[in-house]
Amino acid sequence: MDVNLPIVDREQIAQLIPQRDPIVMVDTLWSFGQTQVVAGLTVMGNNILADAGVLQEAGLIEHMAQTVALHTGYDFFCKGLVAPVGYIGSIKEIVIYRLPRVSDKIVSTAHILQEFMGVTLVEVETTLNGEVLAKGQMKTVVAQ
């Protein structure tokens, strides 16, 4: 895969994360660095975690977690490795101010606070046109 950022092609995104439809909650990789990743999602009406025209809390949190997965997957891709399977190890202090609606284009920025032996501690903030929708901390774990 020849990659230039941003990545907006769903097939390229699918190569970077272990999730598959209908649970894919990222559709854009805006930027990548060793300690930060920025990912996006356009909320579609057929999203499995949308109801009554709104992406539900679980969908927003899953989008935040998949932003972290995209960081890990792109890092592995850059090293010539396959994206690993992982899971949310813990969620701490997630605050949701507002839920995005169908057709909204949300952006999550994850700052890597610590990464050790497959465990990544991050602060994640999700915005819509500069408005903070949600923020918090989570740990993700690469499955062994």
Side-chain angles (χ1 to χ4, degrees):
M1 168 169 67
D2 184 29
V3 178
N4 292 310
L5 297 180
I7 300 172
V8 296
D9 182 77
R10 291 184 70 83
E11 289 181 25
Q12 287 183 323
I13 294 291
Q15 293 179 36
L16 300 174
I17 59 173
Q19 293 82 5
R20 294 293 172 254
D21 283 328
I23 200 69
V24 174
M25 296 292 155
V26 291
D27 60 16
T28 306
L29 174 58
W30 290 107
S31 69
F32 171 87
Q34 289 304 312
T35 60
Q36 179 176 302
V37 64
V38 181
L41 173 69
T42 299
V43 180
M44 305 300 284
N46 63 351
N47 187 302
I48 193 168
L49 295 175
D51 185 42
V54 175
L55 184 66
Q56 299 301 300
E57 291 88 347
L60 192 54
I61 292 169
E62 183 62 24
H63 165 69
M64 296 166 89
Q66 287 188 28
T67 296
V68 180
L70 196 51
H71 181 272
T72 302
Y74 189 73
D75 186 45
F76 272 59
F77 167 77
C78 290
K79 295 173 181 170
L81 302 171
V82 175
V85 174
Y87 56 93
I88 299 171
S90 69
I91 296 174
K92 180 179 178 185
E93 300 176 13
I94 295 283
V95 179
I96 297 174
Y97 300 102
R98 185 169 78 78
L99 296 173
R101 302 195 62 72
V102 167
S103 80
D104 283 347
K105 296 177 185 293
I106 60 176
V107 175
S108 284
T109 302
H111 297 278
I112 312 310
L113 302 176
Q114 192 173 52
E115 196 166 18
F116 183 70
M117 294 182 64
V119 178
T120 305
L121 174 63
V122 298
E123 283 185 347
V124 185
E125 182 176 88
T126 301
T127 62
L128 172 64
N129 299 323
E131 174 192 359
V132 177
L133 299 181
K135 64 182 181 177
Q137 279 190 5
M138 62 177 56
K139 283 184 188 174
T140 60
V141 180
V142 173
Q144 300 296 327

